[in-house]
Amino acid sequence: MSAAARPGSHWLRHGVVYAAMLPMLATVLFAYLGTVFWSVRVSVSSSRTLPSSDFVGMAQYTRLFASERWLLSLENVVVFGVIFIAACLVLGFLLAVFIDQKVAGEGVLRTVFLYPYAMSFVATGLIWQWVLNPELGIQSTVRALGFETFTFDWIATQDKVMYAIALAAVWQAAGLVMALMLAGLRGIDDSLWKAARIDGIPTWRVYMSIVLPMLGPSIGTAVVLLSVSVVKVYDVVVAMTQGGPGLASEVPGKFIMDNLFGRANIGLASAASTVLLLTVLALLAPWMYARARAARNGGHR
Amino acid sequence: MIRKHSLAIGASLAVLAVGAAHAQANRAEVIHWWTSGGESAAIQEIANGYKAAGGTWVDSAIAGGEAARSAAINRIVGGNPSTAAQFNTSQQFLDIVKGGMLNNVDEVAKKNDWDKILPAPILKSIKIDGHFYAVPVNIHMPAWFWYSKAAFAKAGIAAEPKTPEEFFAALDKLKAAGITPVAFGGQPWQEKIVFDALLAHIGGSDLYLKVYKGDQKAIASPEFKNVLASFKKLKSYTDAGSPNRNWNDATSMVISGKAGVQIMGDWAKGEFQAAKQTAGKEFGCFPGFGPKAPYIIAGDVFVFPKTTDAAAIKSQQLLATVMTSPATQVAFNNKKGSIPIRTDVDAKSMDTCAQQGIAAMKDVSRQLPNSEMLVAPDITGALQDVVTKFWNTNQSVDDAVKAVGAAVKG
C-alpha cells in the first residue's frame, strides 16, 4: 500500500469490512430473525400439519396453558433448573479450587472433568439410563453385594425422576463451570493470597469473602450458559426417560418437538416455542444490562 | 457409503434441473423410514419389483417415522416433492389430502378392484371423498400377545387364555411361579398399545369404536371404567424395571423365559427370529382372547405428492401397481413381519402367527381399525398423555374417565 492512497483508504477499509459482514448479516436477518417471526406468526394461526395463514388470536396460547402436560413441563423445568444450576455452580467451584491447588497431573484432571461436556448426551444418557435402572444398575449391584433393602430407583419414580435427570445433567455440565471458574481463579493475583496469609485469614474465609466476589463475571457467565441449557433441555430427557414415567419428566422442549412432528400440530408447537423464546429473552436481558453497565463503569475507572 | 452419498447428491441435482428428471425412465424417488436391517431388506423387495417393471428407483431412506414424514411434508410445501412418501395407515395424511397436495391413484385402484380386495378399515383410511389417495402396502397388528412356552409350562398353564378372566388367572399362575408375568416397556406409546388391546379385548369392538368416536356416554359407562381398572390391574404384574424400557428389551425377557407375556406389535417377531426361536415351538402368539377376538389393523401406506409432470405421474401409477401386486406383497411382507393387504395370496410360506393373522382378516367382523385411523394425530397424542398418566400415577378411574372425555374432544 502506498502513502498516496491513504486519504481514500479509510472508506475503502470500512467498505471492505461491511462487505465482509454482509453474508452474516443476511443470514441473521433472513434465516434467524425471519424464522423467529414466522414461528410467532404461525402461533396465532390454526395451523396443524401444514402452516395456514388465518388468524385465530390467542387461541393456541389459551390451549397451551390449559394443557396439563405443558404446565407440568414448566414445573419440571423449574425444579430441574434450580437443582441443576445450584449443583453445577457448587461442584464446578469446588473442582476448580481443587485443581487450583497446583495438584499433580492437573492437565489430565482438567481434561477428565471437562470431557463429559464434549460428549453427546444421546450416547451418555443411554449409559446413565442403565446405571440408574433399578433392575440393571446401581440398585441391583448393591443388592447383589448383600444389602437387600438398598433402594435407588429415582429414574423409575414419579416424584424423583427429575432429580435423576439433574444428576446426569450436572455430571455433564459441572466440568464446564469448573473451566470457567478456574480461568477466574487463575486471574487472581498471587499478592492477594500473600497479603491474606500475612493477615492470618483462614483459607476458607479468603475463598468466601474475597475470591468468590472477584469471580463475579465468571459466575455470571456460567449462570447464563446454564440457564440457556435449562430452557432448551431436551436430549437428556429423551435419552434417559422419554418424559416418563408417565408425564413426570416432561419438559417444554419435548412438548414442542412432539407437537411439531409427531402430533402434527405446528400452531401449538409454535405457541410453546414463542413462550420459550420470551423466557430466554427475559433471562438474557438483565445479564446484558448488567454487562453494559459494568463496561461503562469500567471505562470511568 | 461414499458412492451412495454422491448418488444422493446426484439425485437431488437431477431434481433441481427439471430437464434432467426426464432423462431416466420412470424415475421414482421414494421417501420412507425403513432403515433397520429387516426393514431395508423388505423395501428392497419393492424396489426390485419396480426395477423389474422397468422403473428407476431412487431410495430416500430417513431414519425415524416422524423425521421422514416431516421431510416429506416440507418438500411438498416447498414445491419439490418426492415421487412417493411413506405414511402410516392413519389420519396422518388427511390434512395434506384436504390441502389438495396429493395425486390420487383412482386409475390403478379401479383396474385392480381395490374396493373388493382391500379390508374395509384400510379402504376407509385411504379413500377420501371418493378418491384413493394412498397405496397400502402391509397390515401390521400392533397388539399381539407373545408368550414364552417354557414360562407357561413352568407355571402350569395348559392352554392359551380364551377370556379376560383366564388371562388374569394365567398371570397369577406366572407370578406364583416366580416369573415376571408381563414383560412391559413403560414408554407412552407402548402403554397406549396395551391400553388399546385391553379396550378391544375386554371392552369389545363396539365400545372401542364408540370411545374413539368421542361418545361421552360410552366413556362414562361402567364397561369403560372396567377397562381402565383392568388396565391398571395389569401394572401389578410388571416388574420395577419397566419404566422407559424399550420394547425389544421387553421382548428379550419373553425370549429368555424371564417373563411370561408381552403385548406388542408383530414387529416383535423379528426379535424372536433373531434369537433363533420359531413361532409355535419356543414361543406362542395369539391376537386376542378366543376365536372371535377383534384383530386390530395398522400398517403403512405410500402417498403421491401432486405434480402435473406426465412422466412423474406415470412413475406414480407404476409404483402403485407394483406395490400392490401379489408377488411383491408376499415377498415384501415376509421380510417385514407384517401380512399382505390382500387375502388372495398364497399364505403357505408364512409362519403360524402370520397365518393366524390372515385367517383373522378373512373374518370381516374381527377387523378393527387402529386408533390412529379413527382420530387425528393430535388427539392420539392427547390420549397417550392421559393413558400414561393414569398408568404411572395414583389417578382414580373416575378422574381418568374425565381426562379421556376431554382428550377425545381435541
Side-chain angles (χ1 to χ4, degrees):
Chain A
M1 197 184 283
S2 69
R6 252 197 102 73
S9 76
H10 176 78
W11 287 108
L12 184 71
R13 215 166 38 218
H14 278 259
V16 168
V17 169
Y18 284 126
M21 272 166 57
L22 263 181
M24 190 58 209
L25 189 72
T27 312
V28 168
L29 277 183
F30 294 104
Y32 187 73
L33 285 179
T35 45
V36 166
F37 283 119
W38 193 78
S39 292
V40 175
R41 172 67 190 89
V42 168
S43 77
V44 290
S45 73
S46 66
S47 309
R48 288 162 63 89
T49 306
L50 305 166
S52 64
S53 53
D54 59 350
F55 181 76
V56 294
M58 291 287 116
Q60 299 283 13
Y61 292 87
T62 317
R63 194 176 161 201
L64 181 67
F65 281 94
S67 153
E68 191 188 346
R69 185 174 153 188
W70 172 251
L71 296 175
L72 197 63
S73 302
L74 290 180
E75 207 176 287
N76 283 341
V77 85
V78 170
V79 171
F80 170 79
V82 169
I83 300 173
F84 171 71
I85 294 179
C88 274
L89 287 178
V90 172
L91 200 66
F93 177 67
L94 291 179
L95 285 176
V97 168
F98 165 66
I99 283 192
D100 199 36
Q101 306 306 311
K102 314 266 176 345
V103 288
E106 185 197 313
V108 176
L109 284 175
R110 221 172 32 201
T111 314
V112 167
F113 292 151
L114 198 54
Y115 212 76
Y117 198 72
M119 284 192 283
S120 160
F121 229 112
V122 174
T124 52
L126 203 62
I127 296 168
W128 273 104
Q129 187 202 318
W130 289 331
V131 169
L132 297 173
N133 185 311
E135 302 279 291
L136 298 171
I138 298 173
Q139 177 176 311
S140 71
T141 312
V142 175
R143 281 189 183 178
L145 291 174
F147 303 93
E148 301 281 323
T149 53
F150 178 81
T151 313
F152 184 62
D153 57 354
W154 285 3
I155 201 167
T157 316
Q158 280 275 314
D159 46 2
K160 298 206 184 87
V161 61
M162 282 322 286
Y163 305 150
I165 288 175
L167 180 70
V170 167
W171 168 81
Q172 193 200 26
L176 174 77
V177 178
M178 175 216 66
L180 288 169
M181 299 279 195
L182 189 61
L185 285 176
R186 289 284 149 87
I188 290 171
D189 199 13
D190 257 357
S191 61
L192 203 90
W193 280 104
K194 284 179 189 143
R197 212 167 297 139
I198 290 165
D199 288 343
I201 306 171
T203 313
W204 67 268
R205 193 67 210 271
V206 182
Y207 272 118
M208 293 307 290
S209 305
I210 301 173
V211 174
L212 261 187
M214 288 181 77
L215 284 181
S218 301
I219 296 174
T221 309
V223 168
V224 168
L225 285 178
L226 295 175
S227 307
V228 170
S229 69
V230 165
V231 171
K232 64 176 193 186
V233 59
Y234 173 72
D235 48 355
V236 53
V237 172
V238 169
M240 285 178 66
T241 64
Q242 299 202 349
L247 303 171
S249 58
E250 289 292 345
V251 288
K254 187 162 173 293
F255 181 95
I256 294 171
M257 292 300 280
D258 282 356
N259 278 292
L260 200 55
F261 298 116
R263 301 190 177 177
N265 204 339
I266 61 174
L268 190 65
S270 301
S273 13
T274 307
V275 171
L276 271 200
L277 174 73
L278 292 176
T279 320
V280 174
L281 289 181
L283 280 170
L284 277 179
W287 178 67
M288 299 214 333
Y289 174 72
R291 235 177 51 152
R293 221 179 56 165
R296 225 181 304 128
N297 288 348
H300 286 308
R301 218 178 280 159
Chain B
M1 190 64 214
I2 290 169
R3 236 180 73 193
K4 219 171 166 185
H5 208 79
S6 59
L7 218 109
I9 294 170
S12 28
L13 284 179
V15 174
L16 287 175
V18 180
H22 297 283
Q24 289 164 312
N26 293 327
R27 186 183 171 285
E29 192 207 347
V30 183
I31 295 182
H32 64 88
W33 61 79
W34 286 324
T35 49
S36 78
E39 289 173 339
S40 61
I43 184 87
Q44 204 52 48
E45 291 293 341
I46 296 183
N48 289 343
Y50 187 65
K51 281 175 208 156
T56 309
W57 177 277
V58 181
D59 202 70
S60 270
I62 297 170
E66 290 180 7
R69 290 196 293 271
S70 56
I73 290 173
N74 282 344
R75 285 188 49 183
I76 292 172
V77 175
N80 174 29
S82 60
T83 316
Q86 182 189 359
F87 279 82
N88 285 121
T89 319
S90 65
Q91 297 195 4
Q92 283 163 358
F93 52 91
L94 192 61
D95 279 352
I96 50 174
V97 170
K98 295 256 158 89
M101 289 168 165
L102 295 182
N103 278 341
N104 66 50
V105 281
D106 290 354
E107 251 176 68
V108 181
K110 285 211 182 81
K111 214 186 278 167
N112 294 293
D113 224 0
W114 284 10
D115 273 321
K116 282 228 180 73
I117 63 168
L118 294 183
I122 291 189
L123 268 181
K124 212 168 170 188
S125 177
I126 62 166
K127 195 174 179 182
I128 298 152
D129 300 332
H131 296 286
F132 295 89
Y133 282 103
V135 175
V137 289
N138 58 11
I139 295 171
H140 270 297
M141 162 25 173
W144 279 88
F145 293 72
W146 308 96
Y147 66 94
S148 156
K149 291 227 159 179
F152 268 37
K154 194 178 162 201
I157 303 161
E160 288 172 5
K162 297 273 181 292
T163 60
E165 293 74 28
E166 284 181 31
F167 177 62
F168 279 105
L171 296 184
D172 283 329
K173 281 189 186 163
L174 284 163
K175 204 176 195 176
I179 299 165
T180 304
V182 178
F184 193 84
Q187 293 172 345
W189 68 275
Q190 298 184 58
E191 290 158 356
K192 178 73 169 23
I193 280 180
V194 173
F195 173 77
D196 278 347
L198 295 196
L199 178 54
H201 299 309
I202 295 178
S205 296
D206 274 350
L207 184 69
Y208 179 99
L209 291 170
K210 275 186 190 158
V211 167
Y212 278 110
K213 272 187 194 122
D215 181 340
Q216 297 290 339
K217 231 163 73 192
I219 290 169
S221 69
E223 288 78 19
F224 186 64
K225 284 183 185 168
N226 178 38
V227 169
L228 283 169
S230 308
F231 175 63
K232 198 58 188 274
K233 191 176 159 198
L234 204 65
K235 198 180 180 189
S236 59
Y237 296 102
T238 63
D239 62 328
S242 68
N244 198 34
R245 179 183 282 140
N246 288 319
W247 68 268
N248 48 343
D249 294 334
T251 310
S252 70
M253 289 171 72
V254 177
I255 291 174
S256 65
K258 267 202 289 190
V261 194
Q262 184 189 16
I263 303 174
M264 185 43 60
D266 41 20
W267 49 87
K269 208 156 54 185
E271 297 292 308
F272 288 102
Q273 277 162 359
K276 303 261 181 307
Q277 296 200 346
T278 328
K281 219 163 124 204
E282 289 93 354
F283 72 98
C285 54
F286 51 97
F289 309 130
K292 278 283 173 192
Y295 189 83
I296 303 175
I297 297 174
D300 302 282
V301 299
F302 282 89
V303 300
F304 301 100
K306 182 140 255 171
T307 167
T308 48
D309 177 1
I313 292 175
K314 218 177 126 210
S315 298
Q316 293 181 335
Q317 307 271 359
L318 186 62
L319 260 180
T321 313
V322 168
M323 281 170 171
T324 47
S325 76
T328 314
Q329 275 294 308
V330 173
F332 166 77
N333 282 298
N334 264 342
K335 294 210 168 147
K336 184 71 177 65
S338 43
I339 62 172
I341 47 156
R342 44 207 294 176
T343 46
D344 59 346
V345 296
D346 182 17
K348 273 191 223 93
S349 62
M350 309 193 117
D351 63 75
T352 82
C353 299
Q355 287 186 13
Q356 275 193 60
I358 292 175
M361 284 304 298
K362 283 186 176 154
D363 183 348
V364 177
S365 71
R366 292 181 67 178
Q367 299 172 357
L368 191 62
N370 168 36
S371 61
E372 284 185 58
M373 298 188 196
L374 299 168
V375 292
D378 194 16
I379 293 176
T380 313
L383 274 169
Q384 187 175 295
D385 288 349
V386 171
V387 167
T388 190
K389 186 181 173 194
F390 178 61
W391 174 266
N392 286 290
T393 65
N394 294 323
Q395 193 183 32
S396 72
V397 168
D398 289 324
D399 285 347
V401 162
K402 268 181 223 146
V404 171
V408 292
K409 276 184 204 150

